[in-house]
Amino acid sequence: MTKKLLGLVLAVALIFGSTFFISMRDIFAAPSIISGVEDGKYYNTSVTIEFNDDLYDVTLNTVLITSGKLVEADGTYTLIVSDGVEVLETINFWIDKVIPEVTGVNNGDYYNTEVSPEYTDTSPVSATLNGSPFTSGTPITEDDDYILIVTDEATNEITINFTIDTIKPEVTGVIDGAIYNTSVSAVFTDSSPVSATLNGFPYYSSTLITVDDEYVLIVTDEANNKTTINFTIDTIAPVVTGVEDGKYYNDPPKAAVFSDATATLNGLAYTSGTPITADGSYILVVTDLALNKTTINFTIDTIDPVVTGVEDGKYYNDPPKAAVFSDATATLNDDPYISGTDITTDGVYTLVVTDLAGNITTITFTIDTIDPEVTGVEDGKYYNDPPKAAVFSDATATLNDEPYISGTDITTDGV
């Protein structure tokens, strides 16, 4: 319908009344005068408004436009269509090319506390969390992987994947505060990716740790949950001073000294530095915190070796003689001597017997198988020229069963 024809219709309407006009308007009215936009709609792209320029006057936000108008800018728009007399149609629409803004969570992030995502947009929005409706600002407390999808009326959409993880990484293979006497390896797992440092340097799960040291292992997951484990590797047996393995001692008291360890002495609890005084064989077992053990066998022996077969200061005329002893070494007149060896030759002997503790027994004895030499008188002789005197050395004598001293005059007749 041209504007001139429309004017004619209006004139007729004035003559015949409003009833004619309304009926004619209904006849000529179309479902929609405008194409390219619809009332109440949101668009996330530019739109082109089209209509019949010959029939209608159209304003966009009060500005007169022509058909084919390209609208690009985000905003709220009101399109009014008139026929020069009255408003025939009003269309409200929006252009919104901006995706909704979400705060409180970031895509790909991990959190170790509850979160409360909030979203805003120039147009109404709706959201789902793992497929269920979600309201802005609602606290999310449960550990899980989440997909938050926020969509505005213009169908602009933002998807945020995030995880809540409040659980510390689990570590096996080492225990906090433990001490180990072998190599160890720490193995860690978590629902989110983890990283670790060992004494400040990067550490990878299951890597063997071999060097003796004190260690701090810190395992951190993507949500910044941390597990800290302090442990020690100690493969060195305890150091013990004061006594030595396999040694014999003849100078008690002895005391075993050690640190950072416990001990037993012949099966009973022993404290470092306690004097050990009694003769005996001892087994000292010292165990440190890593269960490394030092075992020391030692003996305290203050008793001189026992020697049989010969006696100190004795003279023997009945060889062979043999000195017998055990658990010791000996010299006889400075030459090595073996227990039980026969000694047959006349002579003066010094036997020195030394046991493993250094105790010494010294025995000096003599073997003498030669009868004493006597001068001054002779066996079977008769004398008529007293006095007579028997002379001898290194011997004792009796004369007619009475003690006699070498060189003493014998003057009286007799046998």
Side-chain angles (χ1 to χ4, degrees), residues 116-182:
S116 300
E118 297 182 353
Y119 46 82
T120 58
D121 196 74
T122 57
S123 63
V125 294
S126 61
T128 62
L129 184 68
N130 286 1
S132 298
F134 178 77
T135 302
S136 178
T138 302
I140 306 170
T141 61
E142 299 294 325
D143 280 26
D144 204 351
D145 295 320
Y146 291 98
I147 301 174
L148 175 66
I149 302 174
V150 181
T151 308
D152 64 17
E153 283 291 327
T155 68
N156 296 300
E157 183 176 280
I158 183 171
T159 299
I160 296 180
N161 294 272
F162 65 95
T163 298
I164 294 179
D165 174 11
T166 61
I167 300 173
K168 293 181 179 181
E170 180 181 355
V171 180
T172 59
V174 290
I175 299 173
D176 188 50
I179 302 176
Y180 300 94
N181 60 13
T182 61

Side-chain angles (χ1 to χ4, degrees), residues 17-138:
S18 60
T19 301
F20 175 81
F21 177 78
I22 293 171
S23 64
M24 289 301 293
R25 185 182 63 189
D26 292 340
I27 292 171
F28 290 106
S32 178
I33 298 168
I34 301 298
S35 65
V37 292
E38 296 180 34
D39 186 45
K41 286 291 186 73
Y42 288 78
Y43 300 93
N44 60 12
T45 61
S46 301
V47 297
T48 300
I49 302 172
E50 296 184 344
F51 54 90
N52 192 331
D53 280 321
D54 293 330
L55 296 178
Y56 307 108
D57 292 323
V58 178
T59 62
L60 182 67
N61 288 356
T62 73
V63 177
L64 188 66
I65 65 170
T66 59
S67 180
K69 171 66 175 178
L70 178 64
V71 184
E72 298 178 286
D74 281 22
T76 301
Y77 294 94
T78 300
L79 188 69
I80 299 175
V81 182
S82 71
D83 57 8
V85 177
E86 66 175 331
V87 173
L88 302 178
E89 188 175 5
T90 299
I91 297 174
N92 292 288
F93 68 94
W94 294 263
I95 293 179
D96 177 8
K97 301 177 185 179
V98 179
I99 62 174
E101 180 181 358
V102 178
T103 58
V105 290
N106 296 316
N107 189 52
D109 278 359
Y110 290 77
Y111 302 92
N112 60 12
T113 60
E114 69 173 42
V115 295
S116 300
E118 297 182 353
Y119 46 82
T120 58
D121 196 74
T122 57
S123 63
V125 294
S126 61
T128 62
L129 184 68
N130 286 1
S132 298
F134 178 77
T135 302
S136 178
T138 302

Side-chain angles (χ1 to χ4, degrees), residues 193-220:
V194 296
S195 61
T197 61
L198 185 67
N199 286 1
F201 295 96
Y203 176 79
Y204 300 97
S205 181
S206 300
T207 302
L208 194 63
I209 307 167
T210 60
V211 178
D212 280 25
D213 204 349
E214 294 179 350
Y215 291 97
V216 179
L217 174 68
I218 301 174
V219 183
T220 308

